Amino acid sequence: MDQLLVALDVDNAADARAMADRLRGTVGGFKIGNRLFTSEGPRVVEELTSRGDRVFLDLKFHDIPNTVAGAVTAATRLGVWMVNVHAAGGSTMMRAAREAAHDEAARRSKPAPLVIAVTMLTSLSAESLDEIGIGEAMTSQVGRLAALAQTSGLDGVVASPHEIDLIRRRCGANFAVVTPGIRGAADSKGDQSRTMTASEALAAGATYLVVGRPIIAAKDPRAAAARIAAECAH
Ligand code: C5P
């Protein structure tokens, strides 16, 4: 299933490789985040991209525009399919990220990676917003940052299942919404408090689903991925 991205939240390249080998063909791509990247570095990314896997490099860049542009250029050189930045870095930073992706891809005669933004981390509560001096409600802040990402030329945002509708209404149909926090009806929620099933999230308008533990911690990850894909086909 093309829209299903699996979070390779493991500690080492051998485990990541083994998981990708088990899942290849049943899923649409793999997400490599801070945990695996910090342990193993860019080689694990290249290993997957050179096999033709779609890789979403989830390092949530947030720095001055010039530095983020350099990081996105490097990610594009690794052949990633999707990369993300924090919308809170502002429009100049987001434009620089997009331009870097397109310039480097053009130099290599390859399609540019999708550049998407994190609006507000879903781990933040109303109290955490207060703490960091954001006086607005979470939903208006998410809507504002999604719209800013769109006008800055980005391809989409990462959003919790419950924010999809808000973002669709604000940003329209042609803006990618990448949604983690997916659980099967019978799965444990783990530390994700506001979850939806995969088919609910797609029905709500998600473009891509990011699923970690329900697949990678399953006894049979390939069967778990196939089950989620089958649920969505109904
Ligand atoms: O294991 P689980 O399905 O909860 O994994 C979800 C993945 O999506 C993890 O890699 C997590 O870091 C990531 N993520 C998230 N919530 C966000 C952004 C990313 O759970 N708002």
Side-chain angles (χ1 to χ4, degrees), residues 5-9 31-35 56 58 60 84 118-123 158-161 163 178-183 188-192 195 210-217:
L5 310 176
V6 176
L8 293 178
D9 291 330
K31 181 173 89 68
I32 293 182
N34 283 307
R35 177 173 169 187
F56 167 20
D58 176 26
K60 304 182 178 71
N84 61 1
V118 174
T119 57
M120 299 300 287
L121 292 171
T122 46
S123 52
V158 181
S160 97
E163 293 164 350
V178 179
T179 306
I182 302 297
R183 290 293 176 268
S188 132
K189 292 192 168 185
D191 53 8
Q192 300 274 18
T195 62
V210 172
V211 182
R213 289 160 290 182
I215 292 177
I216 68 169

Side-chain angles (χ1 to χ4, degrees), residues 8-231:
L8 293 178
D9 291 330
V10 296
D11 284 319
N12 61 68
D15 288 353
R17 193 181 304 126
M19 188 57 67
D21 287 347
R22 291 178 86 159
L23 294 173
R24 193 168 286 116
T26 52
V27 302
F30 301 105
K31 181 173 89 68
I32 293 182
N34 283 307
R35 177 173 169 187
L36 179 59
F37 192 84
T38 305
S39 302
E40 293 283 358
R43 295 292 80 85
V44 63
V45 177
E46 236 171 1
E47 201 179 312
L48 296 185
T49 58
S50 65
R51 302 194 56 149
D53 292 330
R54 297 201 304 192
V55 173
F56 167 20
L57 188 63
D58 176 26
L59 300 182
K60 304 182 178 71
F61 298 132
H62 189 176
D63 210 316
I64 59 170
N66 188 56
T67 301
V68 167
V72 171
T73 300
T76 306
R77 226 177 271 139
L78 292 174
V80 307
W81 161 77
M82 180 185 278
V83 61
N84 61 1
V85 301
H86 268 284
S91 60
T92 309
M93 190 206 78
M94 288 192 275
R95 285 184 199 288
R98 183 191 186 274
E99 212 175 286
H102 283 257
D103 288 354
E104 183 61 21
R107 268 194 289 279
R108 303 165 66 81
S109 306
K110 294 267 166 60
L114 298 169
V115 183
I116 64 167
V118 174
T119 57
M120 299 300 287
L121 292 171
T122 46
S123 52
L124 295 174
S125 61
E127 293 78 55
S128 347
L129 291 197
D130 241 22
E131 205 174 59
I132 58 173
I134 295 175
E136 259 185 291
M138 179 66 87
T139 48
S140 55
Q141 188 65 8
V142 167
R144 170 212 297 272
L145 290 175
L148 185 67
Q150 188 173 38
T151 56
S152 304
L154 296 206
D155 300 293
V157 288
V158 181
S160 97
H162 296 274
E163 293 164 350
I164 300 170
D165 184 50
L166 157 85
I167 291 162
R168 281 273 163 259
R169 275 187 283 119
R170 186 93 184 236
C171 301
N174 295 322
F175 193 58
V177 180
V178 179
T179 306
I182 302 297
R183 290 293 176 268
D187 284 331
S188 132
K189 292 192 168 185
D191 53 8
Q192 300 274 18
S193 51
R194 305 182 72 213
T195 62
M196 276 191 193
T197 66
S199 58
E200 283 167 349
L202 288 177
T207 318
Y208 297 104
L209 309 175
V210 172
V211 182
R213 289 160 290 182
I215 292 177
I216 68 169
K219 268 211 188 76
D220 182 345
R222 196 175 171 91
R227 200 160 44 240
I228 291 175
E231 266 170 40

